[in-house]
């Protein structure tokens, strides 16, 4: 029998108990993966504490984890484009990443140069970055301001936007300025002078991506499109 970190009750990390669980069987369009690394995000912590108990039902058994990376172990009916033994990273909307095995309906091949830990940390942040950029509808030649450009979502959004031909301004702290430049963005500092810094560079910002979730978007130009972190 495989094992998983089962949530036995809401509360502290001690409520997660390494326990035997049934080996999950992949359904239509699903793969089963032997998990090598699982991502741990802020929503996982909120679920564990019970903050979302009224809106987020837990699976049975209650195995948390929205993202994981591992080796394909079994294929469900209708699955194509992936083979047993392939190394993949997956987003798990129905949870299950904190176990030795997990089922996934959406996955991508893990490049050999990417570590298991890095691959497991990418799916949720990448989905948020891609989804919000699509929501904003930004196109080549436009200007994008990313708030929280040094965080996981902001880093991915910055690289995607730069690759699509946008001019990207990245609002970061002083320690991330060179990092923002390395990603192809123009760094600007958080604080009361943020708007003045932007006006010194450009006449207008076409869109604002608040990847930091701290409400700074309220201080950005009113004629720009804005979207919060997904």
């Amino acid at each position: 029998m495989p094992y998983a970190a089962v949530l036995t009750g809401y509360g502290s990390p001690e409520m997660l108990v390494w326990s035997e669980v049934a080996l999950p069987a992949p359904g239509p369009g699903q793969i089963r993966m032997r998990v090598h690394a699982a991502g741990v995000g802020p929503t996982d912590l909120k679920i564990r504490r019970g903050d979302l108990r009224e809106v987020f039902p837990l699976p049975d058994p209650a195995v948390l984890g929205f993202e994981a990376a591992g080796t394909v172990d079994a294929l469900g009916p209708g699955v194509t484009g992936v083979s047993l033994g392939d190394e993949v990273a997956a987003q798990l909307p129905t949870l299950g990443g904190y176990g030795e095995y997990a089922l996934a309906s959406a996955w991508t091949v893990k490049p050999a140069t990417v570590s298991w830990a890095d691959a497991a940390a990418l799916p949720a942040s990448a989905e948020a970055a891609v989804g919000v950029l699509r929501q904003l509808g930004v196109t080549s030649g436009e200007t994008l301001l990313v708030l929280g450009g040094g965080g996981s979502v902001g880093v991915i959004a910055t690289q995607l936007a730069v690759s699509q031909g946008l001019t990207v301004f990245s609002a970061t702290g002083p320690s991330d300025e060179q990092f923002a430049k390395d990603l192809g963005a123009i760094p600007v500092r958080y604080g009361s002078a943020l708007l003045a810094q932007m006006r010194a560079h450009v006449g207008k910002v076409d869109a604002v991506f608040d990847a930091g979730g701290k409400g700074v978007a309220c201080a950005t130009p009113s004629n720009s499109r804005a979207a919060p972190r997904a």
Side-chain angles (χ1 to χ4, degrees), residues 59-143:
D60 183 21
V63 180
L64 305 184
F66 284 103
E67 47 194 349
T71 305
V72 178
D73 171 73
L75 305 176
V79 173
T80 60
V82 67
S83 302
L84 298 180
D86 283 355
E87 297 180 348
V88 297
Q91 188 172 12
L92 312 170
T94 56
L95 301 175
Y98 292 9
E100 292 184 316
Y101 292 88
L103 300 179
S105 299
W107 61 87
T108 187
V109 173
K110 182 188 81 67
T113 54
V114 176
S115 71
W116 290 113
D118 288 346
L122 283 173
S125 294
E127 190 275 338
V130 171
V132 174
L133 287 174
R134 287 176 177 171
Q135 179 184 342
L136 289 170
V138 288
T139 59
S140 178
E142 291 191 317
T143 299

Side-chain angles (χ1 to χ4, degrees), residues 118-215:
D118 288 346
L122 283 173
S125 294
E127 190 275 338
V130 171
V132 174
L133 287 174
R134 287 176 177 171
Q135 179 184 342
L136 289 170
V138 288
T139 59
S140 178
E142 291 191 317
T143 299
L144 174 70
L145 169 61
V146 179
L147 304 172
S152 59
V153 176
V155 165
I156 296 171
T158 295
Q159 293 176 86
L160 290 173
V162 168
S163 71
Q164 293 168 12
L166 279 82
T167 298
V168 180
F169 289 86
S170 177
T172 67
S175 62
D176 286 327
E177 283 190 355
Q178 185 58 50
F179 183 42
K181 291 180 181 178
D182 293 341
L183 296 177
I186 301 168
V188 289
R189 290 280 189 92
Y190 277 119
S192 59
L194 175 59
L195 188 56
Q197 292 177 73
M198 293 303 304
R199 285 174 173 162
H201 284 286
V202 293
K204 73 165 187 172
V205 173
D206 296 296
V208 179
F209 187 156
D210 184 4
K214 298 185 182 299

Side-chain angles (χ1 to χ4, degrees), residues 1-6 17-24 34-35 63 96-102:
M1 295 283 285
Y3 280 75
V6 178
V17 178
W18 194 242
S19 307
E20 285 189 349
V21 294
L23 181 66
R34 176 73 169 88
V35 176
V63 180
Y98 292 9
E100 292 184 316
Y101 292 88

Side-chain angles (χ1 to χ4, degrees), residues 41-48 52 56 66:
T43 305
D44 295 321
L45 308 185
K46 293 177 182 178
I47 294 173
R48 191 207 71 218
L52 304 179
F56 201 100
F66 284 103

